[in-house]
Amino acid sequence: MITLICRVFIIYILILFVFRLMGKRQLGQMQPFELVLTLIIADLATIPMAEMSVPILNGIVPLLTLVVFHFVLTILTQLSPKFANFISGKPVIVVDSNGIIYSALCKLNITIDDLFEAIRGAGYFSFTEVQYAIMETNGKVSVMPKPEFAPATKQDLKIKELDDSLPLTIISDGQYMEENLKMSDKNKAFFEKLIQDEKIKSIKKVLILTITKQGEIFLQEKDKPCKTLQV
């Protein structure tokens, strides 16, 4: 029993030392290679603690090897931007002045709902408020709002208060959101006519359509610029 306690204590101190060397980034801030390293360390640490028949060096040596490997990768990413892009990827613009970039979503393998969640996490509840959104290499989405929706400063005390009503997503990636459609005061015929008036061939071509209580509609066809309409 004393031997087991000593093994656990040694591994714990070693892992604590390793993560101190890696820095104080939170899980969501890690680059891909750092996250992979963390998962491997967690797996390696359990072997010498759970299996008394495994020599403790069989756990310590791989851990120290991973630390050295981590520092080599870190140095290489600092010295070579190309290598950094290869290992960690590079930021991708997912929303610009023309709206959502559908090809970027496909490349990143994320859905409209994933993007909506990230936008809301940044404090914005409609794409009409967003000038640019960038998917960072650590998976976070950075949002630059349009000037009129930017947070107020001391010099902006007279800015008109923003409406706090949430837009309803009526169409997402070519499909009606039936529950949201029921919550709106419009029917399918209204939106089908709207899409026809905007010269969009079918619902399947619509990337996203949202509407607010005030009748502001955000509409974007796949791989086309977005439109803001008022009804």
Side-chain angles (χ1 to χ4, degrees):
M1 181 64 69
I2 295 178
T3 303
L4 178 59
I5 294 174
C6 291
R7 289 163 68 98
V8 171
F9 179 74
I10 292 171
I11 295 297
Y12 174 78
I13 295 298
L14 180 60
I15 293 176
L16 183 62
F17 173 72
V18 168
F19 280 103
R20 288 287 292 169
L21 288 177
M22 287 177 60
K24 295 185 177 180
R25 287 204 236 191
Q26 297 178 0
L27 187 63
Q29 298 173 327
M30 288 183 175
Q31 296 298 331
F33 74 92
E34 293 174 323
L35 180 58
V36 170
L37 178 65
T38 302
L39 296 175
I40 295 175
I41 288 175
D43 192 47
L44 284 174
T46 59
I47 298 174
M49 288 192 295
E51 298 290 340
M52 291 293 291
S53 59
V54 177
I56 193 169
L57 282 178
N58 286 12
I60 293 176
V61 172
L63 287 174
L64 294 178
T65 302
L66 286 174
V67 172
V68 173
F69 184 62
H70 167 72
F71 277 105
V72 170
L73 282 179
T74 302
I75 292 171
L76 289 176
T77 55
Q78 291 173 347
L79 295 176
S80 173
K82 289 185 178 179
F83 184 76
N85 290 339
F86 175 74
I87 293 295
S88 301
K90 55 184 179 180
V92 178
I93 298 175
V94 291
V95 179
D96 62 11
S97 56
N98 289 323
I100 302 166
I101 304 175
Y102 182 65
S103 58
L105 298 189
C106 294
K107 179 181 177 182
L108 294 169
N109 195 27
I110 62 174
T111 65
I112 290 291
D113 291 336
D114 294 331
L115 182 59
F116 241 137
E117 182 179 347
I119 295 295
R120 290 195 298 268
Y124 301 94
F125 292 85
S126 172
F127 287 111
T128 57
E129 302 174 28
V130 178
Q131 184 74 28
Y132 287 98
I134 302 172
M135 177 67 74
E136 306 292 355
T137 56
N138 60 11
K140 298 290 185 180
V141 174
S142 300
V143 177
M144 185 182 81
K146 292 179 179 178
E148 60 268 32
F149 295 104
T153 64
K154 292 181 179 180
Q155 294 153 351
D156 299 325
L157 297 177
K158 295 184 180 180
I159 287 182
K160 183 181 179 181
E161 185 177 352
L162 299 177
D163 181 25
D164 59 356
S165 63
L166 297 177
L168 291 172
T169 301
I170 304 300
I171 301 174
S172 176
D173 202 7
Q175 295 183 354
Y176 278 107
M177 301 290 101
E178 297 294 343
E179 291 186 6
N180 290 346
L181 183 63
K182 293 177 182 178
M183 293 171 62
S184 71
D185 58 354
K186 310 293 182 184
N187 54 29
K188 284 188 179 180
F190 169 83
F191 292 108
E192 287 171 1
K193 184 178 184 305
L194 176 70
I195 289 168
Q196 185 179 4
D197 291 343
E198 294 300 320
K199 296 181 171 49
I200 299 176
K201 294 181 179 179
S202 72
I203 297 293
K204 297 295 183 183
K205 296 289 185 180
V206 178
L207 178 60
I208 189 166
L209 187 154
T210 68
I211 187 170
T212 66
K213 291 181 179 179
Q214 288 71 35
E216 185 180 55
I217 291 177
F218 179 88
L219 171 64
Q220 184 170 355
E221 188 178 358
K222 293 179 180 178
D223 293 321
K224 297 290 181 66
C226 64
K227 300 177 182 179
T228 302
L229 310 171
Q230 188 70 41
V231 296

